[in-house]
Amino acid sequence: MADPQHLPTIGTIGAGHIGSTVARLAQAAGIDVVLSNSRGPSSLEDLAQDIGSHVRAGTTAEAAASDIVVLTVPLLTLTSLDPELLAGRIVVDTMNHYPERDGTIPALDSGTTTSGLTAAHFPDARVVKGLNNIVHSHLLALARPSGASDRSALPIAGDDAAAKAEVTHLLDALGYDALDAGPLSEGWRFERGREAYTLPYAADPEALRASTPGARPEGARPASTEDLRRALAEA
């Protein structure tokens, strides 16, 4: 179990489904969170108050000053962020490419991963891919204490071993084991359209496969490290 005396602070850049769910899990774990978005703190005050006393609304700069920053904005808005904003920070990149929303991104067609784009835009950040392969309702429903027999695993990928260790520590506090999928370039194994993307956590994987964003089936099932390892191998 994560040591409560050494829990990181979290900042979210983006406070949609994943950002707010991470904040709810962090609240339950006693972790302080700064929520931010492009509309400013006033747009998030009610949400922060609803989640709990460990969560507050702040500016993007305030969120970026946290120990770990969860970057959870639409991929098409990535380049609107200041490249210096996250210098030196551990960044959990949750972003996926949705062509119907983000349009065509030529670099992705040339073999770059979504986190490769993030790392290129924030060259001084310590980027770890994670929290991108699970539906937000499943993320909330499947959190379990460390050691629970039905605990689920989430994959991470990154080039900075120390940053991955910190993200592993955070995921443990939030209720999940972490499976190291390798360097950042291996993040494609759990991007959208792969077997490790959302399906391992669905009570009815085929119903989830046939659904669309915004209309995901609610039923969730635990996905162990071995379940996830098999799904990554099928990528």
Side-chain angles (χ1 to χ4, degrees), residues 51 66 98 120 130 162 166:
I51 294 174
S66 303
Y98 296 96
E166 289 297 321

Side-chain angles (χ1 to χ4, degrees), residues 4 6 20 22 30 48 51 60 67-68 91 99 108 111 115 122 124-125 127-128 139 162 167 188 191 219 221 235:
H6 297 90
S20 61
V22 168
I51 294 174
T60 299
D67 296 324
I68 296 179
V91 177
L108 296 178
S115 284
F122 297 111
D124 297 318
V127 178
V128 177
L139 179 64
V167 173
W188 66 271
E191 289 184 335
R221 65 173 179 180

Side-chain angles (χ1 to χ4, degrees), residues 153-228:
L154 294 169
I156 60 173
D159 299 331
D160 184 319
K164 285 198 286 188
E166 289 297 321
V167 173
T168 296
H169 178 68
L170 173 62
L171 292 180
D172 179 44
L174 297 182
Y176 287 86
D177 293 333
L179 175 59
D180 189 344
L184 202 61
S185 60
E186 290 293 289
W188 66 271
R189 292 186 178 275
F190 48 101
E191 289 184 335
R192 186 189 188 193
R194 304 294 177 177
E195 288 300 307
Y197 176 78
T198 70
L199 299 176
Y201 313 99
D204 186 341
E206 292 311 310
L208 180 61
R209 196 192 299 271
S211 69
T212 58
R216 300 301 195 193
E218 291 294 319
R221 65 173 179 180
S224 69
T225 299
E226 287 306 314
D227 293 334
L228 195 56

